[in-house]
Amino acid sequence: MSKTLKVLFLAAEAAPFVKIGGLADVAGALPRALRALSEEDAGGVNLDVRLALPLHMVIRTESATLRPVTSFTLPRAKSDMSVQVFETRSEDLPVYFVAGEPITTSGSVYSSNAALDGEKYTFFSVAALEMTKHLEWQPDIIHVNDWHTALAAYALQLKHWNGEMRETKSLLTVHNLPFLGPDLRGRLVSYGLTLAQTDLPEWARAMPLPLGLWSAGKTVAVSPTYANEMLTPSFGSGMENFLTIHQDSLMGIINGIDAESFDPATDEAISTNFTAETLKERAWNKAALQKLMGLDIDSSIPLFGFVSRMDTQKGVDLAIDTLAKLKDTPWQAVILGTGDPALEKRAKNLEKKMPDRVKVEIRYDGRLARKIYAGSDIFLMPSRYEPCGLSQMIAMRYGCIPIVRSTGGLKDTVKHAETGFLFEKETIAAFRKAINEALGIYANNEYWQSLQRNAMAQDFSWKNSAKKYAALYQSLLLP
Ligand code: GLC
């Protein structure tokens, strides 16, 4: 019998249960990809990875198949909290849902109220760790993600000091460093989490993500370039010195995409399926998208796609301002996304200014997103910073050539003039130059198709990343 390595994966969101951002894609896919590794690919062990999520209100109302597994009381100053744990399976992945008053009180997954979120995720992190004592399943590794669950690593460290759960190690994946979480001075103590003497900067000593960085056995950034960028003042969010001192426990592992679900050969959301060998068929998707959006149906006009959360991180403003300046050549653009109302409005204004060229849809729409990946020629992604980025990989898989800013995971996944285009400076001029270079090549059909074939041939499947995480788990458990 081979050895089983047990991993409890904690996240605020995971597809298909609840999805706000890229974290949900990762938390939905990586645990499954790890479970799917052969014993050989997992380094000679059998990986039993399980996922735990807060039982958010949206999940509560949608899922009827939750089975209660355990309940217990969590000591808290003033009033103890009762915790209920439910279980379900998502294909073969066991998923635990943790419920309790702080999760019910904050109706949404993330609220704009830092105190509500602070309470909710402190409760979740501590309760999820405590839950393992009540299951007949003791994890070897607690794998936490971003600030929301980082405190589980910290709580584990405090337990070690008390002589408990000594054999259990922790790993923190950072998907978005600037979200350090709220200052929880006061609140932590009420959950029995004393403030440890740490070498964190004074202002960060009661913040979830910094405490996670301090306590986790290893920290993983979602791309190698982002792991390096995190060490610099521009990207380090004030944590750069701390991270530099602890560089040895930091590494980058690029995310994958669900290559089965995002497959132009089988995707049923798009009008015509195609592969790199039947690239000609792709044109039907462009025509269908132009028709759907009310644009002129013309295969020769370059069509830009933009699918994103409307967030300054994503350079939405830069995309809009650059398109507004691009008047001298024909082009069309489809923009899809929701988020910051000011950015949504700017996008809508561009549509008003250029109604024949620009169509904007303000919503989250997975099916339309797929039609855009399959139908547009060029994918715009001028992110200011991008820890990994998933859309550029999905776009490439659909033969949609990305133009990206050279940062984080974008830099690690796109090869200039081979699978896409990169630009350095966060300026309209630099972005425009890259767009013009792309349009120059677009005019040469054969050359363009060779880019599309290169892009479609990239292997962005989860297996590669999962193997790296598996190796990391093993290294954490070495005596
Ligand atoms: C965050 C990052 C994004 C990354 C995703 C998944 O949303 O902003 O770059 O792809 O997490 O790790």
Side-chain angles (χ1 to χ4, degrees), residues 21-23 26 175-176 222 255 309 313-314 386-390:
L23 173 60
V26 176
H175 302 261
N176 210 331
V222 287
N255 291 328
R309 266 187 297 124
Q313 177 197 340
K314 301 290 180 180
E386 196 62 81
C388 177
L390 304 169

Side-chain angles (χ1 to χ4, degrees), residues 15 79 117 158 169 202 211 286 319 349 378 403 419:
S79 58
D117 269 10
L158 297 183
K169 309 288 183 211
E202 168 59 33
L211 285 170
K286 179 168 176 179
N349 282 343
I378 294 171
I403 305 184
T419 61

Side-chain angles (χ1 to χ4, degrees), residues 383-394:
S383 306
R384 297 212 153 74
Y385 72 92
E386 196 62 81
C388 177
L390 304 169
S391 322
Q392 83 279 11
M393 293 191 263
I394 302 173

Side-chain angles (χ1 to χ4, degrees), residues 132-420:
T132 61
K133 284 198 205 152
H134 301 264
L135 301 173
E136 268 153 44
W137 186 79
Q138 301 301 310
D140 301 298
I141 308 251
I142 307 280
H143 186 161
V144 303
N145 292 273
D146 276 355
W147 79 262
H148 324 101
T149 50
L151 285 175
Y154 181 61
L156 181 66
Q157 178 60 45
L158 297 183
K159 279 191 191 297
H160 286 177
W161 286 348
N162 285 333
E164 295 171 60
M165 295 183 83
R166 271 273 167 73
E167 308 303 317
T168 307
K169 309 288 183 211
S170 64
L171 175 76
L172 164 66
T173 297
V174 178
H175 302 261
N176 210 331
L177 183 63
F179 294 85
L180 299 172
D183 190 307
L184 297 174
R185 234 163 277 247
R187 200 172 307 268
L188 294 179
V189 185
S190 68
Y191 279 94
L193 303 176
T194 44
L195 271 197
Q197 286 280 345
T198 65
D199 59 343
L200 289 167
E202 168 59 33
W203 56 266
R205 284 188 192 158
M207 293 178 136
L209 190 63
L211 285 170
L213 292 169
W214 175 78
S215 42
K218 275 267 179 192
T219 297
V220 175
V222 287
S223 68
T225 295
Y226 193 58
N228 286 328
E229 288 173 339
M230 277 168 40
L231 306 177
T232 66
S234 326
F235 295 91
S237 300
M239 294 304 297
E240 57 276 7
N241 291 340
F242 175 86
L243 289 167
T244 306
I245 293 168
H246 299 282
Q247 260 193 75
D248 285 354
S249 52
L250 173 67
M251 68 178 289
I253 299 179
I254 196 93
N255 291 328
I257 55 169
D258 184 338
E260 241 169 70
S261 160
F262 292 110
D263 184 352
T266 52
D267 191 336
E268 47 90 30
I270 67 178
S271 92
T272 308
N273 291 120
F274 62 95
T275 65
E277 284 71 49
T278 59
L279 206 48
K280 262 213 245 104
E281 300 291 310
R282 192 177 187 279
W284 295 108
N285 293 297
K286 179 168 176 179
L289 181 62
Q290 287 169 322
K291 180 159 179 238
L292 179 72
M293 302 307 298
L295 291 163
D296 283 349
I297 302 175
D298 182 337
S299 66
S300 71
I301 303 176
L303 174 55
F304 299 119
F306 184 91
V307 180
S308 174
R309 266 187 297 124
M310 294 278 175
D311 191 306
T312 24
Q313 177 197 340
K314 301 290 180 180
V316 187
D317 49 327
L318 187 57
I320 291 167
D321 295 349
T322 305
L323 287 177
K325 290 253 156 74
L326 215 64
K327 288 200 190 111
D328 34 357
T329 58
W331 55 265
Q332 300 168 332
V334 178
I335 298 176
L336 169 67
T338 127
D340 180 349
L343 291 172
E344 292 177 352
K345 195 161 161 230
R346 264 168 96 158
K348 275 289 180 192
N349 282 343
L350 182 71
E351 181 184 49
K352 267 190 219 133
K353 250 195 337 214
M354 302 177 139
D356 301 336
R357 291 178 186 254
V358 179
K359 300 293 171 189
V360 177
E361 295 293 336
I362 302 294
R363 61 174 192 277
Y364 172 81
D365 185 337
R367 285 182 77 84
L368 180 57
R370 287 163 182 267
K371 293 183 206 294
I372 296 175
Y373 294 126
S376 51
D377 300 298
I378 294 171
F379 192 77
L380 303 179
M381 199 161 173
S383 306
R384 297 212 153 74
Y385 72 92
E386 196 62 81
C388 177
L390 304 169
S391 322
Q392 83 279 11
M393 293 191 263
I394 302 173
M396 283 185 264
R397 183 141 171 84
Y398 283 75
C400 181
I401 297 302
I403 305 184
V404 303
R405 215 172 79 70
S406 182
T407 181
L410 298 175
K411 193 170 174 180
D412 293 336
T413 52
V414 179
K415 294 179 211 137
H416 189 77
E418 277 177 48
T419 61

